[in-house]
Amino acid sequence: MRDDDPIRPRRDFLRKSLAALGGIGTVGVTGAWHLSGAMQVADTPAATDVITRARRELIMFHGQSNAVGTGGRPALTLQEIYANVTFNGGVRPGTDPAAMTGLIPLVEYDGGHGTGGEVGTNACADGLVEYTAALTGVPFSAQFSQFSAFTSGEGGRPIGYFASFLDDGNLGGYQGWKNSQTRLQNMIALMRAEATTKAATFSWLATTWQQGEADSTGLSETRKTYASKLSKLERAHWLKLCQVLIPEQAWRPLWLVAQVCSHNSYGSGSVAFCNPFIALAQRDACLASATMRMVNPQYLFDYADESAQGQPMLHLTNESHRWQGHYFARAIYQLIQDRQAGVPMRNPALDMISAVVRGPRTVYVLFNVPSGSLTLDTTWVAPTRNYGLDLRDAANAVVPASGSHDNLIAAVTVVARNVLRLTLTTDLPASVTKLTLGWGDPAEPASIAGRHGGPRSNIRDGAGDADVYTASDGTLRPMHNYALVGEVPLTVL
């Protein structure tokens, strides 16, 4: 590691802070993870799914416009310091054969296929190097793995455009599938050639997924169909691409999802207004999977103001794209630890597990808390009604306390590191069936997304007490986990 390494202060801060805490979320390996109330999953990776590290590992960004850096101009990360690589035509090669003939240092830029700038590919790859150094004490110069990264996203596309339909034996699929296959074939060929020259190894480590805005209109998918297609798309990447292009890789790559949180941006007349069925579908698919995991909700970020173009807030800013890359990096590091240990992968996101009614006016809400304790915080994400919580009926309508008072929740209190207590204004009506989080407040203006307005919550954990993101202006931003957009049924005891 060079003495003039610009990331060194952050790395040293991480190492010292995390040594005191015992690492970021490492309790999943020790067994204490499940005792602390983590989300349980029904499936367990097979023994062959234990990750074997390689000298060159692929991280593929995938999805639609946010996955190609739309809203991210100008690009911020213009220097590669850790020997990570991308296509000679940049991280957005499209399907141009001339853009995929060699490997160059991994940096972000404003050109290439699509309209984006900063994507977060560099931030993700570099972040993984930094987490490894901070948490293992192994400097970059001595680390075994280096990374390649690019984006296979295409703007404005519904999930059906990417999905290979639908049974395992169908090797065709829609145009987005074929485009992604072309990019992967070229990258794998370049990685294989490099590995052959250096007598080294290579693998496909992870795919990140940022997608769902187009499907949030309600014109293409339902919650059930989106969850099904996302699960089948991940499976198709394993069966029809990874196993075909890298037959020597015995384990299934990670698949990480950043939760779409811009459903209200389509306006109060939208099917999705205050009904985040795509965000919920992403959560459904990950909770049911052994290899897919939610990473974070994207409402914690700043969104680009595109009103001059006649567009609602749908796209992250360049700083937000870069920061998202660091959230992906942290989750990849955590999940590698689980997969190398041969244990079920943790849920790296802050997420509701259950809501239990204790008496007519009290509800206790249990969370999966990756690090530290639940915190109600209105300093970064703007305050929202009940910190984002609402009690709803089976038709998803907010249940009022009375005809003139629409809020059943009088107070929200942290009573344990992973438990909130809701105190109600009246006895719980029989019509309430579920507790929801982060769906949005219909009293707020439509067409806004991100931390200043729109669907969001003010509930976070303490991960950022020991882990910080260094923004491009040098300021430090805590890497807290904010609660996923979600729902849980009420259980009456």
Side-chain angles (χ1 to χ4, degrees):
M1 185 69 67
R2 302 194 315 267
D3 290 338
D4 63 347
D5 174 10
I7 310 299
R8 188 166 190 155
R10 179 176 183 273
R11 189 193 67 235
D12 292 342
F13 173 84
L14 277 169
R15 181 182 296 123
K16 293 174 183 177
S17 299
L18 297 171
L21 293 179
I24 300 176
T26 54
V27 287
V29 179
T30 67
W33 179 269
H34 297 292
L35 296 177
S36 66
M39 180 67 68
Q40 302 288 328
V41 293
D43 46 11
T44 302
T48 54
D49 269 343
V50 175
I51 287 177
T52 301
R53 302 305 299 273
R55 292 291 286 171
R56 179 72 72 188
E57 298 178 334
L58 171 63
I59 303 171
M60 185 181 81
F61 276 49
H62 204 3
Q64 57 190 108
S65 52
N66 274 314
V68 295
T70 302
R73 290 174 179 262
L76 299 172
T77 313
L78 305 178
Q79 179 186 13
E80 175 50 60
I81 58 176
Y82 293 129
N84 300 317
V85 297
T86 190
F87 285 116
N88 62 292
V91 296
R92 286 182 297 273
T95 54
D96 179 6
M100 298 181 282
T101 59
L103 298 174
I104 64 170
L106 172 60
V107 296
E108 304 283 356
Y109 71 127
D110 293 329
H113 176 69
T115 60
E118 186 84 11
V119 177
T121 54
N122 181 291
C124 180
D126 282 5
L128 193 48
V129 172
E130 292 161 20
Y131 279 116
T132 302
L135 296 171
T136 66
V138 179
F140 155 66
S141 58
Q143 289 181 23
F144 181 70
S145 299
Q146 297 172 349
F147 305 101
S148 65
F150 71 96
T151 178
S152 215
E154 299 190 31
R157 302 295 189 176
I159 194 171
Y161 179 79
F162 301 106
S164 179
F165 282 85
L166 269 176
D167 60 88
D168 291 348
N170 182 359
L171 299 179
Y174 291 150
Q175 189 61 48
W177 170 265
K178 296 174 183 177
N179 291 347
S180 186
Q181 182 181 39
T182 296
R183 289 184 278 266
L184 277 163
Q185 286 171 336
N186 281 277
M187 179 54 78
I188 297 302
L190 291 170
M191 292 170 66
R192 185 177 294 281
E194 178 191 53
T196 300
T197 299
K198 297 182 177 181
T201 55
F202 71 99
S203 68
W204 183 354
L205 177 63
T207 298
T208 71
W209 182 251
Q210 298 175 82
Q211 201 270 351
E213 291 92 344
D215 291 309
S216 287
T217 61
L219 300 177
S220 52
E221 303 293 339
T222 66
R223 176 175 173 178
K224 183 177 181 180
T225 61
Y226 184 97
S228 175
K229 288 178 182 178
L230 179 56
S231 298
K232 290 179 179 179
L233 182 60
E234 183 271 336
R235 176 176 170 83
H237 274 70
W238 166 232
L239 290 177
K240 304 174 189 179
L241 293 177
C242 187
Q243 288 192 324
V244 171
L245 298 175
I246 320 177
E248 62 268 42
Q249 181 170 327
W251 51 271
R252 193 162 171 163
L254 302 167
W255 187 288
L256 302 101
V257 179
Q259 189 180 42
V260 60
C261 293
S262 55
H263 48 280
N264 284 13
S265 289
Y266 292 97
S268 58
S270 168
V271 173
F273 189 71
C274 291
N275 183 0
F277 61 95
I278 298 302
L280 296 173
Q282 292 172 333
R283 179 174 176 266
D284 292 342
C286 290
L287 288 175
S289 173
T291 48
M292 288 197 298
R293 288 293 180 268
M294 299 292 289
V295 175
N296 61 282
Q298 291 192 320
Y299 66 73
L300 70 94
F301 297 123
D302 289 312
Y303 277 64
D305 182 356
E306 298 170 304
S307 56
Q309 290 79 43
Q311 294 185 166
M313 286 188 171
L314 297 175
H315 303 123
L316 305 182
T317 64
N318 54 1
E319 193 71 67
S320 298
H321 282 296
R322 188 170 179 263
W323 197 2
Q324 176 65 75
H326 278 270
Y327 271 97
F328 280 136
R330 182 171 70 183
I332 290 172
Y333 178 87
Q334 292 170 328
L335 298 177
I336 286 173
Q337 310 314 302
D338 295 343
R339 288 279 293 274
Q340 286 192 306
V343 301
M345 292 196 307
R346 72 192 75 188
N347 179 356
L350 180 63
D351 194 13
M352 290 193 298
I353 296 175
S354 63
V356 178
V357 178
R358 295 273 192 175
R361 298 195 181 190
T362 305
V363 180
Y364 287 95
V365 189
L366 177 67
F367 282 79
N368 173 74
V369 180
S371 181
S373 176
L374 290 172
T375 301
L376 304 177
D377 184 352
T378 59
T379 59
W380 179 255
V381 176
T384 189
R385 163 188 165 120
N386 304 325
Y387 305 100
L389 295 159
D390 275 305
L391 291 162
R392 298 178 186 263
D393 63 20
N396 294 325
V398 174
V399 177
S402 66
S404 60
H405 184 51
D406 72 344
N407 194 354
L408 269 171
I409 300 174
V412 180
T413 309
V414 177
V415 295
R417 67 167 297 272
N418 58 351
V419 179
L420 296 180
R421 182 181 65 222
L422 310 186
T423 304
L424 309 186
T425 58
T426 66
D427 289 0
L428 184 70
S431 57
V432 175
T433 63
K434 68 177 74 173
L435 178 69
T436 64
L437 179 58
W439 285 30
D441 184 347
E444 290 189 343
S447 300
I448 298 178
R451 67 188 182 97
H452 295 294
R456 64 195 188 280
S457 91
N458 304 113
I459 303 170
R460 64 164 176 84
D461 71 357
D465 295 341
D467 183 15
V468 294
Y469 162 70
T470 304
S472 59
D473 63 1
T475 59
L476 302 181
R477 301 183 181 184
M479 289 278 295
H480 295 309
N481 292 296
Y482 279 81
L484 295 179
V485 172
E487 66 171 31
V488 288
L490 287 189
T491 302
V492 179
L493 296 182

